[in-house]
Amino acid sequence: MKTINQLAELVKGAEVIGNKETVITGIEHDSRKVEKGTLFVCIPGIHVDGHKFIPQAVAAGAAAILTTRAEVEVPEGIAVLLVKDLTAALDAMVPFFHDYPARSMRVIGITGTNGKTTTSYITRAILREAGYKVGLIGTIQIMMEDEVFPIHNTTPDVVELQHTLAIMRDKGMDYVVMEVSSHALDQNRVAGIEFDTAVFTNLTQDHLDYHKTLENYMLAKAKLFELVSREGVKQGKTAVVNIDDEAGKTMLEHASCRHLTYAINSEADLRATDVDVLASGANFTLNHESFGQMALKLHITGIFNVYNVMSAVGAALAENIKPEVIAKVLQGFTSVPGRFELVKAGQDFSIIVDYAHTPDGVENVLRTAREIAKKKIIAVFGCGGDRDRTKRPIMGRLAAQLADVVIATSDNPRSEDPEFILSEVEAGVKEAIGSKHHEKITDRREAIFRAVELAETDDIVIILGKGHENYQILKDETIHFDDKEVAKEAVAARKEEN
């Protein structure tokens, strides 16, 4: 617990109106989470103004209000912490309030366009096999050992993130493995976190609606390598970087700590050779000075997963995990939810669900499917609304080039008209389609049912874009929607008809 005056002293120009010795027991910007003694943060959002919820926060027990508005009205006895910049104030105060939890654990940050989730899961598995207690903060969920908690952003905001880290510290986690998005780095959501190992997977087109240029996007990712290079209370900082990716050079330029590079096509500290990608998995040899050669037979397939494995191995080596522990985990690792995940419902063709939602992701997954396909590939995919529009025709073109049948459908349209999104996707499809079979079905459920209906023995139906997600975001509502569930229903319906 801290006093409001202790928090104010961290922020230049901050002013306390009311009792400076008011004890703060928590910091929240959601009035529904406020408890007795909470400092309620009034965030003036685009759609909702936090100031409107002051009465609810006070009724729930808030002891003080954090705001940028000098004229804010609060009941008697409620202190006000007035600051000029809310974001900067939170960046300084929240980690301090929780006693900088990241300093008490080793923190591995993973950034890149694709591969973050698979890398984080493999890294977590290796660390746990080595005997450590591990927390994970990722796209799919937050995990503290085997406890699972939902997550709403790849990297939560500073209030939620520091609270989560504090819980992890209090539960005795030795490590935190964390996906770090470009948005989080650009918005400094990771303020107050001392990273120990930073991993770069790759950089391809995504989020240009936010970053505007690929250069800005790359430099946002590079901030993680500046952070891991900062002097802190812990020793042994490492940048683990894919140097087969052109952007890897930039990451290394921003890292003044130890470098550990990995690659297939370049000379690197950690290198995969004799790579053989099969339908059932991938075989290759890992080479590193600490162990010489490590022959691996994986149960996950695709060249992209060879890179993901190397990024996780790089992180493990940076943290001094023994090679035999690494090898044991890799030989037994099977899958990550929604990442090239097989759906088995007794059908005589394959159904694969994958989160791929970028041009590079779609290309990687479809090329992998092409390598293992005996007959046709039927691709079901769409593009999210209110996101980078420039990638829509690119993804359409790639799907048409690499699949035999393309069914364009809705992803998460959000506030956009689904038909408009599909028209932009279709522009790319038609550019490359030739004589291939192509359909546009706006309703995603109907599109998946149609793909299953078209599938013949030994075909591959590949459903892209949503992966692990169990919801669909429409204009005015969020509904339950799980690609795997719908695919199983489609197979069951097909069996009934036959």
Side-chain angles (χ1 to χ4, degrees), residues 83-128:
V83 297
K84 293 176 182 176
D85 185 327
L86 202 59
T87 302
L90 289 172
D91 290 350
M93 293 190 311
V94 179
F96 168 79
F97 175 81
H98 290 290
D99 296 320
Y100 300 97
R103 294 178 182 175
S104 302
M105 303 172 284
R106 298 287 293 179
V107 182
I108 298 173
I110 302 164
T111 198
T113 307
N114 299 308
K116 295 188 295 295
T117 299
T118 300
T119 297
S120 68
Y121 272 69
I122 299 172
T123 304
R124 169 182 176 268
I126 293 170
L127 292 170
R128 294 188 77 193

Side-chain angles (χ1 to χ4, degrees), residues 349-353 376 378 380 448 451-452 455 459-463:
F349 53 92
S350 298
I351 300 176
I352 296 168
V353 169
K376 297 194 306 294
I378 303 169
V380 180
I448 292 172
V452 168
D459 283 350
I460 295 177
V461 173
I462 191 152
I463 307 167

Side-chain angles (χ1 to χ4, degrees), residues 1-8 10-11 22-28 35-41 63-64 66 81 89-103 158-160 162-167 169-170 191-192:
M1 292 187 291
K2 307 287 191 295
T3 66
I4 195 167
N5 197 52
Q6 285 177 298
L7 299 178
L10 298 169
V11 184
T22 299
V23 174
I24 303 301
T25 60
I27 301 175
E28 287 291 352
E35 297 177 350
K36 184 175 173 58
T38 298
L39 172 65
F40 177 60
V41 185
L66 175 63
L81 179 48
L90 289 172
D91 290 350
M93 293 190 311
V94 179
F96 168 79
F97 175 81
H98 290 290
D99 296 320
Y100 300 97
R103 294 178 182 175
V158 69
V159 172
E160 188 180 347
Q162 290 293 328
H163 180 63
T164 299
L165 290 170
I167 294 172
R169 174 197 58 203
D170 296 344

Side-chain angles (χ1 to χ4, degrees), residues 376-437:
K376 297 194 306 294
I377 295 176
I378 303 169
V380 180
F381 85 106
C383 293
D386 302 332
R387 297 294 186 269
D388 181 5
R389 287 175 53 192
T390 62
K391 66 184 183 182
R392 294 171 185 172
I394 301 171
M395 288 167 65
R397 185 177 70 249
L398 286 167
Q401 288 171 341
L402 296 169
D404 301 291
V405 177
V406 176
I407 300 177
T409 189
S410 293
D411 191 300
N412 289 319
R414 300 182 176 88
S415 70
E416 282 194 74
D417 177 3
E419 294 291 339
F420 175 73
I421 296 171
L422 286 178
S423 70
E424 296 197 317
V425 172
E426 276 202 300
V429 173
K430 289 175 179 176
E431 183 183 321
I433 199 75
S435 60
K436 290 182 183 178
H437 186 152

Side-chain angles (χ1 to χ4, degrees), residues 161-412:
L161 181 54
Q162 290 293 328
H163 180 63
T164 299
L165 290 170
I167 294 172
M168 288 182 171
R169 174 197 58 203
D170 296 344
K171 284 180 175 286
M173 298 300 119
D174 301 301
Y175 274 92
V176 177
V177 180
M178 182 178 165
E179 294 184 47
V180 186
S181 69
S182 58
H183 288 69
L185 289 160
D186 190 62
Q187 296 166 10
N188 206 28
R189 293 185 216 156
V190 292
I193 296 179
E194 183 181 334
F195 290 95
D196 300 286
T197 294
V199 179
F200 169 70
T201 60
N202 51 61
L203 188 100
T204 58
Q205 182 177 333
D206 198 17
H207 302 305
L208 296 193
D209 53 319
Y210 177 85
H211 294 289
K212 306 305 178 189
T213 68
L214 204 58
E215 175 81 4
N216 290 344
Y217 180 37
M218 178 172 64
L219 292 175
K221 296 285 189 192
K223 287 181 182 178
L224 180 62
F225 296 88
E226 296 170 6
L227 292 174
V228 78
S229 301
R230 285 182 183 174
E231 190 173 336
V233 301
K234 295 175 284 182
Q235 301 298 313
K237 307 302 175 76
T238 311
V240 178
V241 175
N242 173 10
I243 57 168
D244 274 346
D245 190 294
E246 191 67 26
K249 294 176 185 175
T250 300
M251 305 304 145
L252 292 174
E253 288 167 2
H254 285 255
S256 57
C257 58
R258 177 171 70 126
H259 296 170
L260 194 160
T261 58
Y262 68 92
I264 297 175
N265 303 316
S266 312
E267 288 295 328
D269 300 317
L270 179 66
R271 192 172 183 187
T273 55
D274 305 317
V275 180
D276 186 16
V277 175
L278 309 166
S280 57
N283 302 333
F284 60 96
T285 301
L286 269 183
N287 302 268
H288 188 264
E289 62 179 9
S290 67
F291 53 73
Q293 293 190 324
M294 183 187 293
L296 294 170
K297 291 189 175 184
L298 301 184
H299 298 291
I300 53 177
T301 191
I303 199 73
F304 58 93
N305 271 326
V306 176
Y307 281 101
N308 292 337
V309 164
M310 282 196 290
S311 60
V313 171
L317 292 174
E319 294 298 325
N320 300 310
I321 305 300
K322 293 178 180 178
E324 55 267 29
V325 173
I326 295 171
K328 181 180 178 182
V329 170
L330 295 180
Q331 304 282 20
F333 193 85
T334 52
S335 69
V336 174
R339 271 47 177 193
F340 215 80
E341 186 176 2
L342 283 167
V343 177
K344 296 179 180 178
Q347 75 277 12
D348 61 358
F349 53 92
S350 298
I351 300 176
I352 296 168
V353 169
D354 194 274
Y355 187 56
H357 59 284
T358 65
D360 185 62
V362 167
E363 182 173 10
N364 280 336
V365 169
L366 289 178
R367 285 197 186 282
T368 298
R370 179 56 64 197
E371 288 171 6
I372 64 177
K374 293 180 180 177
K375 291 187 178 176
K376 297 194 306 294
I377 295 176
I378 303 169
V380 180
F381 85 106
C383 293
D386 302 332
R387 297 294 186 269
D388 181 5
R389 287 175 53 192
T390 62
K391 66 184 183 182
R392 294 171 185 172
I394 301 171
M395 288 167 65
R397 185 177 70 249
L398 286 167
Q401 288 171 341
L402 296 169
D404 301 291
V405 177
V406 176
I407 300 177
T409 189
S410 293
D411 191 300
N412 289 319

